[in-house]
Amino acid sequence: MSVYVYAITSSECHPRLDDLHGVGEEAPPLRTVTEGALRAVVSDAPADLRAKRRDLSAHHEVQERLLSERAVLPMRFGLTAADDDAVRAALSEHAELYSERLAELEGRVEFNLKASEDEGVLLRQVIEESDEVRRLNEATREGGGTYEERLALGELVAQEVGARQDSLTAELTEALRPCASAESEGATSEYFLNVSFLVDRDRVREFTSAAEKLAERYGPDVELRLRGPLPPYSFV
């Protein structure tokens, strides 16, 4: 039977896993596969694996339990191997790389920061502070103005919004950077900022305090969402 792989950690890590369960309808028990200085946490893989909330939660709970013990290399959801021997072979083949990454991550956790702005408030600020945007907005109000004016308004607003969000991204990132050892940018969609920070455990309070001060500074118009501590998903 194929096996589902949750994470890799040091063989010195002996996490308590009996109160957790694996992914899949039958919630299989967890076990470990050890090779040299490395240990993988696995379970039997379900025949039909889907990214259901229950299984995503089980996947992350295992990784977070390991993170509470030692550094961890979290695997993406859905990663499987042919059997335990295949896991041992992978641990052996990549032992040096995995061990180096674990050493780099020891004593560190990830925090993810996302930021978004109220579009209505942002648009009002752009109109208030840009004479040209205000002029074009007045000219095109209620369907008026020429096609060129409407096009120019859209382009100018997009430029102003982009410039403001780029500036805010730089401000937020630079404010938190001194509290972190590394950072990694993520994909953005409804958020104009999505960045993860690798933070030493003994600086977690300093980091979260800095994030709280940023939230107070920018107020309700800028939504800051901070998640963590997390396994270092963005740094593996």
Side-chain angles (χ1 to χ4, degrees):
M1 175 179 285
S2 61
V3 299
Y4 185 98
V5 186
Y6 299 85
I8 297 170
T9 187
S10 165
S11 60
E12 297 177 358
C13 180
H14 302 280
R16 183 173 62 87
L17 300 172
D18 56 344
D19 60 329
L20 300 178
H21 59 80
V23 301
E25 290 284 350
E26 298 181 2
L30 300 166
R31 64 180 187 276
T32 61
V33 176
T34 304
E35 178 66 24
L38 299 171
R39 172 167 290 149
V41 176
V42 305
S43 70
D44 290 343
D48 184 20
L49 178 63
R50 296 180 181 177
K52 297 180 179 180
R53 182 185 296 274
R54 174 203 62 211
D55 293 332
L56 290 170
S57 178
H59 178 86
H60 294 307
E61 283 179 6
V62 174
Q63 296 178 341
E64 289 173 355
R65 176 65 58 81
L66 293 171
L67 181 65
S68 70
E69 301 277 341
R70 294 290 297 268
V72 60
L73 303 182
M75 300 294 105
R76 61 175 173 78
F77 180 85
L79 181 67
T80 62
D83 51 32
D84 287 6
D85 287 340
V87 176
R88 291 190 186 91
L91 294 179
S92 176
E93 180 181 357
H94 304 291
E96 183 177 358
L97 174 62
Y98 292 162
S99 296
E100 287 177 355
R101 294 300 293 138
L102 284 170
E104 292 170 359
L105 297 171
E106 187 65 49
R108 292 171 171 169
V109 293
E110 177 175 333
F111 281 86
N112 175 257
L113 178 68
K114 290 184 173 69
S116 62
E117 287 188 275
D118 183 285
E119 292 183 359
V121 172
L122 180 58
L123 183 57
R124 286 196 297 273
Q125 291 175 346
V126 169
I127 293 174
E128 290 172 359
E129 298 175 15
S130 172
D131 293 339
E132 182 62 10
V133 170
R134 189 162 54 252
R135 184 190 70 79
L136 290 170
N137 185 62
E138 289 293 334
T140 58
R141 189 184 298 276
E142 298 181 356
T146 65
Y147 168 79
E148 288 74 16
E149 286 176 323
R150 292 193 294 273
L151 182 62
L153 176 61
E155 292 177 345
L156 187 54
V157 168
Q159 291 172 4
E160 291 288 339
V161 168
R164 288 166 184 271
Q165 292 185 337
D166 287 346
S167 177
L168 188 51
T169 292
E171 291 176 10
L172 292 168
T173 304
E174 289 171 5
L176 295 174
R177 184 173 291 142
C179 306
S181 60
E183 62 190 72
S184 175
E185 294 185 4
T188 56
S189 52
E190 69 265 36
Y191 300 97
F192 69 84
L193 172 66
N194 178 12
V195 60
S196 291
F197 297 89
L198 191 63
V199 181
D200 291 350
R201 286 184 183 274
D202 59 5
R203 302 193 70 181
V204 164
R205 184 55 197 153
E206 178 186 359
F207 181 87
T208 56
S209 178
E212 290 168 0
K213 290 178 181 177
L214 287 173
E216 292 176 1
R217 180 195 306 175
Y218 292 105
D221 294 340
V222 179
E223 180 187 5
L224 299 182
R225 295 185 58 187
L226 183 68
R227 294 179 60 240
L230 303 168
Y233 304 113
S234 303
F235 301 93
V236 175

